[in-house]
Amino acid sequence: MRQYERGLYVRRAPAPRPVVLPAQQRVLVPLEWGETALVSAGEPVRLGQRVADGAGEMVPLHAGVSGEVAAILPHNCAGGRRCPTLVLENDGRNRPDPSIRPRALLDSLPDEQLLGFLYEAGIRLPDGKPLAAAVAAEEGRPLAVSAMDPEPGACAGEAALLYDGEALFSGIWLLARLLKAERVSFVVGSGQREAIRAAKRWTGDRMELCVAGGPSPAGHPKRLSALLGGALVLTAPAVAASAHACYEGIPVIRETVCVCREGGQALFDVPLGL
């Protein structure tokens, strides 16, 4: 186990288990990156169905509910911009799209097909870049997966380790294979005591456990990459999502939102959309 710098990465309590919130009656899916809608008003949709296509730096979008496309209307998006938005009427039945199914013999598939699964799942990194594009462009680079969140007080990375560890570490070895990475590291903050204990149960001779400290933004991927000799740093939630996408066929239809408050942090598992 390697230790980097003095000081604590501020986390005084273990990340809470995310509270699963139900979807609202109407779910808005903004096409804020310029995606192209694949559905029209009045069409039925299934949970996990691909409803918008991306290209280049964009990724596909999927329905977080089943029901019907009520409308496609302009709506205020991030930064105050107005963009086309899919309005999905939730039928409350969560009927899954036929594409969501476990994939047998995944390890025998070619790398190009696995990268296709990652792209089709719509997994993004915090900077907005598609995870599949980052992995495809960095072959041969060391891999580091971080349970430290770039934002102070956030704890989604630690929650992925504590409550979705099997998918997380399955995703690590999947991505290490695609990168052809000779060195694999798992990073936690020096103040994340419960995360350190959990990580020790998963890491071993093939994966190095690294503990980083210092003030915010101690967990920023660029800072961690410099500390780890230029490794490609991926976040724990994105890596866990990679395993769910490739092994189970589940695209990005939910996300974990962290709310910081005076009494501590709260995590919510919410359907994708507004």
Side-chain angles (χ1 to χ4, degrees):
M1 181 174 74
R2 282 194 286 173
Q3 186 92 21
Y4 292 93
E5 298 189 8
R6 294 182 179 179
L8 293 181
Y9 171 66
V10 181
R11 283 285 301 120
R12 292 181 173 83
R17 184 179 292 276
V19 176
V20 179
L21 296 183
Q24 54 195 10
Q25 183 61 38
R26 284 201 162 187
V27 176
L28 307 183
V29 182
L31 310 182
E32 55 186 321
W33 293 79
E35 298 91 344
T36 303
L38 299 176
V39 292
S40 303
E43 287 188 31
V45 292
R46 295 281 190 125
L47 175 70
Q49 178 181 333
R50 191 167 175 167
V51 293
D53 247 341
E57 290 296 293
M58 299 178 288
V59 293
L61 299 177
H62 302 80
V65 297
S66 65
E68 183 179 283
V69 182
I72 302 179
L73 300 171
H75 190 272
N76 291 334
C77 300
R81 295 184 298 111
R82 289 180 70 79
C83 60
T85 300
L86 303 178
V87 182
L88 306 183
E89 191 77 26
N90 181 12
D91 64 9
R93 298 170 63 184
N94 285 331
R95 294 173 297 168
D97 190 73
S99 63
I100 299 182
R101 61 184 186 277
R103 296 187 172 103
L105 304 176
L106 185 76
D107 294 339
S108 65
L109 298 179
D111 290 358
E112 293 76 13
Q113 191 168 355
L114 296 179
L115 284 170
F117 291 157
L118 294 177
Y119 173 77
E120 291 166 8
I123 305 170
R124 283 190 179 278
L125 299 179
D127 62 1
K129 187 173 184 178
L131 180 140
V135 172
E138 303 293 347
E139 185 176 313
R141 193 172 170 186
L143 171 64
V145 176
S146 173
M148 299 173 69
D149 282 87
E151 298 296 328
C155 53
E158 183 174 311
L161 167 62
L162 297 181
Y163 309 117
D164 203 13
E166 185 172 350
L168 171 58
F169 285 91
S170 294
I172 289 175
W173 295 119
L174 174 71
L175 296 175
R177 167 193 159 180
L178 295 176
L179 280 167
K180 299 177 174 58
E182 295 185 2
R183 177 164 58 89
V184 180
S185 305
F186 191 80
V187 188
V188 292
S190 54
Q192 294 177 278
R193 296 176 178 84
E194 185 62 30
I196 292 173
R197 285 193 288 270
K200 285 179 178 178
R201 295 196 293 268
W202 292 96
T203 55
D205 295 338
R206 298 174 60 201
M207 187 189 312
E208 182 180 39
L209 176 60
C210 301
V211 178
S216 177
H220 194 283
K222 289 186 177 180
R223 177 182 179 275
L224 294 177
S225 179
L227 286 173
L228 295 168
L232 173 64
V233 178
L234 301 177
T235 62
V239 174
S242 300
H244 290 303
C246 289
Y247 286 99
E248 303 167 58
I250 300 176
V252 176
I253 53 177
R254 302 187 69 90
E255 58 184 338
T256 300
V257 177
C258 182
V259 177
C260 297
R261 53 192 180 183
E262 187 175 349
Q265 293 85 7
L267 286 176
F268 299 96
D269 179 349
V270 299
L272 188 68
L274 303 176

